[in-house]
Amino acid sequence: MLCTQRLGRLSAGVGALRPRRAGQGSFGAGLWARRVSTSWSPVGAAFNVKPQGLRLDLFGERRGLFGVPELSTPEGFHVAQEKALRKTEFLVERACSSPPGPQTVLIFDELSDSLCRVADLADFVKIAHPEPAFREAAEEACRSIGTMVEKLNTNVELYQSLQKLLADKRLVDSLDPETRRVAELFMFDFEISGIHLDEEKRKRAVDLNVKILDLSSKFLMGTNFPNKIEKHLLPEHIRHNFTRDGDHIIIDGLHAEAPDDLVREAAYKVFLYPNAGQLKCLEELLSNRDLLAKLVGYSTFSHRALQGTIAKNPETVMQFLEKLSDRLSERTIKDFEVMRKMKMKLNPQNSELMPWDPPYYSGLIRAERYNIEPSLYCPFFSLGACMEGLNVLFNKLLGISLYAEQPAKGEVWCEDVRKLAVVHEAEGLLGYIYCDFFQRQDKPHQDCHFTIRGGRLKEDGEYQLPVVVLMLNLPHATRTSPTLLTPGMMENLFHEMGHAMHSMLGRTRYQHVTGTRCPTDFAEVPSILMEYFANDYRVVNQFARHYQTGQPLPKNMVSRLCESKKVCAAADMQLQVFYATLDQIYHGKHPLRKSTTDILKEAQEKFYGLPYVPNTAWQLRFSHLVGYGAKYYSYLMSRAVASMVWKECFLQDPFNRAAGERYRREMLAHGGGREPMLMVQGLLQKCPSVDDFVSALVSDLDLDFETFLMDSK
């Protein structure tokens, strides 16, 4: 019933940010129903000035978080969840007593929406709200709604009401494609809970689901847990790089950017030293996932996880990864050779390239070849200028403008959160984006997009407007300057705004498939596509101005930045191929033919090329195995599709309105309401093969095509 996700960027690093459930709902539709507002103001200026602190309506009524009246206090979560649970009971009764037909799907979607309105809003609040009382109340609401979802997923009568519809060929043939797909997705959610099995097996499926949730939570905690080592075991001259605890040194990460080779080596060997409890937890997690997949009718967990994706099955994923690895092989060897030479130059006594070396030496090579010191770029990328750049881009491509709107008292959880209205020149207000952009104590260090409320067509014919949050961790403005972004921060902002636009423009009839509610290997396409715009001089030139002098960012600085990203890029991509392959093997045929560490060693030597380090177990820090189990390949496949879309639609002219409208019509508008490959095919006017995907990724490693275009003019 409730299959939501939080979207964030994948990272190559250990313990990288993990995906979690994002919201799909909110309340108080009437509060957002207006189409015009006199309180809208230009977006750029809103981000380059400090918020006004205390609101003008100091003595006015508190609105509640996101305008939800109940949520003006933490206790409101209990009121909201009880209201949702009462509505759920009514809708379940209605679904079970109504004759099968299109109305069945509408009732199921409303049921999902009423639960998501609380659960997904709470899922955001429990990690982002600065006040513990709100976080705890939200946590309790998540638990309460979660219990109800488990009940619904094992409600045989509810399942049968949907089964009656899908078993009637005449009725199924009368459904429009989106309604049919949504009905099938709800059925898939039921069947992965084992509801179609006999009572004994159904109970086993429920038990396995509970066990997998517990193991996932335990494994995630373990991925970030620091390791201790006795102080005397580390050379004295490197101890100051780590935290001391009496006679022990605590190592809580890889220290991948440390200039001292020995610091990186020590961190790698200690942080990745196998923990017996974590190893057992991973083995049990993989084994239980396999048992559940087999119980509900799949040969492996990977086959179950890849249902409905672009790839469709693990055989296609492995073909994609193996072909990509073959095409990268020579380039990766050259990258390693360049890094090895740099290491030899700096450390002639110990020049063998090891797994702890690439991040540091590739960064060094980048700095040596191209002068891309972030501080040279930051003055040109004030947050206000970047937001205005996005506004200009969306306006030219899609006829959309972003306006800052003053939130009501109590509507936001921190005074520096900005609220944006997304307005189409002909269609009016499309939805709202809350921008939680700035660093604060206890805020998660993650850049990600949360859907707070999904769009859907309501029974009264009105469209429920989507509401999302974008969360970044940007520095605050100072007395002398606005918030200034590094090139990496600017690219992240564009990436996350790609998710937000998908949410705004995925205007589906059903919230179950709204916006980013689509298969994982398609969900990242709109966000990665935005990175191509962020690296195109024609786009950057529209907004990158020095915050003091107004001088535009010189073209050669953009060229250098683009070219620097190609340095050792093949080796970086090869590392992603290795991680994705490891993920596929772990979720493939069970019992595994070797231990998880032996599989890691074998995959690392075959798909990466740098030697495995004895007594290390990197897989125990691979947090993506939880949220992206069997789907880690998704980022590479999404990048391949985004690359093809860029070259087909926007390379010649990144502001082409006809191309923007086509992109909206064929891809963004459908959310997850159409098969992803059909959307790709509709836009590209061809059905891409595995070889096409691989070629798209490899061609991006060549001389930057944007730079080539610019420099040839």
Side-chain angles (χ1 to χ4, degrees):
M1 293 305 309
L2 201 70
C3 50
T4 56
Q5 85 267 28
R6 174 200 307 171
L7 294 167
R9 299 187 75 173
L10 285 180
S11 156
V14 168
L17 72 91
R18 64 181 189 269
R20 295 171 53 134
R21 293 166 55 253
Q24 279 309 122
S26 184
F27 304 91
L31 298 174
W32 283 292
R34 60 198 167 139
R35 286 286 181 270
V36 287
S37 172
T38 52
S39 65
W40 288 339
S41 57
V43 71
F47 283 88
N48 271 0
V49 295
K50 289 199 171 189
Q52 292 159 17
L54 293 173
R55 304 292 178 207
L56 295 175
D57 59 350
L58 187 62
F59 302 104
E61 185 188 349
R62 280 184 74 84
R63 199 72 167 280
L65 290 172
F66 298 104
V68 179
E70 292 93 335
L71 298 187
S72 56
T73 64
E75 293 73 30
F77 269 108
H78 183 72
V79 177
Q81 85 195 27
E82 289 306 307
K83 191 171 158 185
L85 295 175
R86 280 196 303 276
K87 187 172 181 185
T88 298
E89 284 174 20
F90 164 74
L91 289 167
V92 168
E93 205 171 296
R94 196 170 149 208
C96 295
S97 59
S98 300
Q103 190 65 19
T104 308
V105 185
L106 283 168
I107 296 168
F108 266 75
D109 192 62
E110 194 177 348
L111 182 56
S112 176
D113 184 58
S114 66
L115 291 168
C116 291
R117 283 173 178 234
V118 184
D120 297 323
L121 189 153
D123 202 45
F124 168 72
V125 172
K126 77 178 185 187
I127 70 151
H129 203 290
E131 293 177 32
F134 266 101
R135 292 200 300 269
E136 286 159 21
E139 182 86 58
E140 180 53 43
C142 284
R143 273 196 294 271
S144 172
I145 299 291
T147 303
M148 172 55 83
V149 171
E150 280 175 33
K151 274 188 192 170
L152 293 177
N153 282 341
T154 53
N155 184 322
V156 177
E157 202 183 344
L158 188 64
Y159 161 68
Q160 285 169 347
S161 70
L162 187 63
Q163 193 184 37
K164 279 177 202 162
L165 169 65
L166 290 171
D168 187 324
K169 188 178 184 306
R170 184 186 57 80
L171 277 176
V172 170
D173 289 345
S174 72
L175 301 176
D176 64 87
E178 187 182 14
T179 301
R180 182 174 175 170
R181 179 169 169 81
V182 171
E184 287 167 351
L185 288 171
F186 276 123
M187 183 55 82
F188 177 67
D189 289 347
F190 268 129
E191 290 182 348
I192 60 173
S193 299
I195 200 163
H196 57 301
L197 306 172
D198 63 48
E199 196 172 343
E200 189 188 331
K201 286 181 177 173
R202 193 160 65 240
K203 186 182 182 310
R204 195 155 165 246
V206 170
D207 292 344
L208 281 168
N209 271 310
V210 170
K211 198 169 181 188
I212 287 165
L213 273 174
D214 289 345
L215 288 165
S216 297
S217 179
K218 188 178 170 188
F219 181 76
L220 270 179
M221 284 179 68
T223 58
N224 290 309
F225 204 76
N227 272 348
K228 271 185 181 183
I229 185 171
E230 289 179 30
K231 193 167 63 178
H232 70 88
L233 294 172
L234 279 188
E236 194 173 347
H237 72 281
I238 67 166
R239 290 176 198 166
H240 69 277
N241 291 280
F242 308 106
T243 307
R244 295 189 190 202
D245 180 19
D247 290 333
H248 288 84
I249 299 284
I250 296 172
I251 297 185
D252 59 1
L254 289 177
H255 293 253
E257 306 297 333
D260 189 325
D261 286 354
L262 198 55
V263 170
R264 294 195 311 279
E265 180 180 351
Y268 189 94
K269 287 178 173 176
V270 176
F271 190 62
L272 299 185
Y273 189 79
N275 174 292
Q278 182 77 339
L279 191 58
K280 185 170 183 286
C281 182
L282 175 60
E283 286 165 354
E284 283 186 25
L285 175 62
L286 297 176
S287 168
N288 279 283
R289 279 178 169 174
D290 180 70
L291 288 171
L292 180 62
K294 288 192 171 97
L295 188 64
V296 297
Y298 294 91
S299 54
T300 69
F301 179 82
S302 193
H303 282 90
R304 185 195 124 176
L306 298 179
Q307 278 278 101
T309 59
I310 293 177
K312 293 188 174 160
N313 57 61
E315 292 77 20
T316 304
V317 174
M318 283 309 295
Q319 191 188 10
F320 168 63
L321 294 172
E322 283 167 357
K323 285 191 171 191
L324 180 55
S325 188
D326 288 346
R327 291 279 300 276
L328 288 173
S329 179
E330 281 184 28
R331 293 167 187 259
T332 302
I333 289 166
K334 282 179 187 168
D335 283 354
F336 285 156
E337 192 49 44
V338 170
M339 288 186 246
R340 198 172 279 114
K341 281 179 181 168
M342 175 62 85
K343 187 173 182 180
M344 186 180 283
K345 190 165 96 176
L346 297 176
N347 189 358
Q349 294 82 29
N350 183 16
S351 61
E352 185 186 2
L353 197 69
M354 296 301 285
W356 52 80
D357 289 328
Y360 175 69
Y361 285 107
S362 60
L364 220 53
I365 295 159
R366 235 173 256 125
E368 190 179 78
R369 287 191 191 170
Y370 306 96
N371 186 12
I372 52 158
E373 173 56 43
S375 61
L376 297 172
Y377 287 83
C378 288
F380 295 92
F381 293 139
S382 73
L383 177 56
C386 294
M387 292 303 294
E388 194 49 54
L390 284 161
N391 189 38
V392 168
L393 178 63
F394 294 144
N395 196 265
K396 290 185 176 184
L397 272 185
L398 298 159
I400 283 170
S401 298
L402 305 174
Y403 293 100
E405 182 174 309
Q406 182 82 339
K409 191 172 71 164
E411 188 178 343
V412 294
W413 48 100
C414 186
E415 68 166 21
D416 59 20
V417 173
R418 312 294 209 277
K419 179 184 180 184
L420 297 184
V422 180
V423 183
H424 188 270
E425 60 192 18
E427 298 162 38
L429 182 61
L430 296 180
Y432 283 108
I433 303 170
Y434 288 83
C435 301
D436 187 355
F437 282 177
F438 301 102
Q439 295 164 350
R440 66 173 172 269
Q441 199 176 357
D442 297 331
K443 182 181 175 182
H445 289 282
Q446 299 176 356
D447 292 350
C448 45
H449 160 281
F450 296 81
T451 307
I452 299 298
R453 178 174 75 179
R456 71 182 180 107
L457 190 63
K458 296 190 291 185
E459 280 192 80
D460 61 6
E462 192 182 339
Y463 198 78
Q464 177 172 290
L465 297 179
V467 177
V468 304
V469 173
L470 293 190
M471 191 160 79
L472 304 175
N473 274 275
L474 303 178
H476 287 272
T478 67
R479 280 185 197 165
T480 55
S481 73
T483 291
L484 301 176
L485 278 60
T486 64
M489 289 173 185
M490 184 271 283
E491 190 178 279
N492 279 5
L493 171 64
F494 271 62
H495 177 103
E496 298 305 335
M497 197 57 89
H499 285 310
M501 279 301 123
H502 198 183
S503 289
M504 295 296 117
L505 294 171
R507 291 175 83 75
T508 52
R509 189 183 319 172
Y510 304 101
Q511 72 85 34
H512 197 64
V513 290
T514 186
T516 57
R517 297 283 294 273
C518 56
T520 314
D521 57 4
F522 184 78
E524 290 293 330
V525 172
S527 52
I528 294 172
L529 180 62
M530 285 298 293
E531 294 175 27
Y532 286 86
F533 287 99
N535 287 291
D536 187 290
Y537 180 72
R538 295 162 296 180
V539 175
V540 174
N541 189 45
Q542 296 284 317
F543 68 89
R545 298 285 181 275
H546 197 287
Y547 76 98
Q548 289 171 315
T549 66
Q551 173 201 350
L553 181 66
K555 187 186 280 192
N556 69 337
M557 284 180 71
V558 179
S559 300
R560 289 205 309 265
L561 197 58
C562 290
E563 284 308 294
S564 74
K565 289 175 183 175
K566 305 294 176 228
V567 171
C568 302
D572 288 343
M573 194 178 285
Q574 189 79 57
L575 184 65
Q576 294 296 322
V577 171
F578 157 47
Y579 293 163
T581 306
L582 189 65
D583 174 43
Q584 285 302 307
I585 297 169
Y586 284 166
H587 291 103
K589 197 175 174 186
H590 274 244
L592 296 173
R593 50 194 178 75
K594 294 183 175 180
S595 72
T596 58
T597 304
D598 285 342
I599 290 168
L600 171 91
K601 180 176 186 285
E602 203 173 83
Q604 183 168 331
E605 283 162 6
K606 183 179 176 185
F607 288 97
Y608 189 41
L610 293 186
Y612 164 77
V613 179
N615 296 314
T616 63
W618 180 85
Q619 77 275 20
L620 304 183
R621 302 290 185 178
F622 192 7
S623 59
H624 285 92
L625 287 174
V626 172
Y628 277 77
K631 296 181 186 177
Y632 192 86
Y633 77 92
S634 294
Y635 190 74
L636 286 167
M637 191 158 274
S638 286
R639 181 163 288 282
V641 174
S643 171
M644 294 165 87
V645 171
W646 171 257
K647 289 165 195 165
E648 171 70 24
C649 301
F650 302 112
L651 174 59
Q652 289 305 316
D653 176 8
F655 304 111
N656 186 312
R657 179 65 182 266
E661 293 294 350
R662 192 170 130 223
Y663 170 54
R664 177 185 178 180
R665 187 173 63 249
E666 298 291 345
M667 268 195 179
L668 297 179
H670 303 290
R674 185 182 280 188
E675 269 192 53
M677 193 53 114
L678 289 178
M679 293 190 269
V680 174
Q681 207 173 327
L683 187 60
L684 299 178
Q685 296 295 294
K686 70 175 233 176
C687 184
S689 65
V690 167
D691 287 325
D692 291 330
F693 290 140
V694 169
S695 295
L697 288 171
V698 174
S699 70
D700 277 1
L701 301 173
D702 292 329
L703 173 69
D704 196 282
F705 33 81
E706 296 102 356
T707 307
F708 179 76
L709 261 183
M710 294 179 333
D711 291 348
S712 62
K713 288 177 180 173

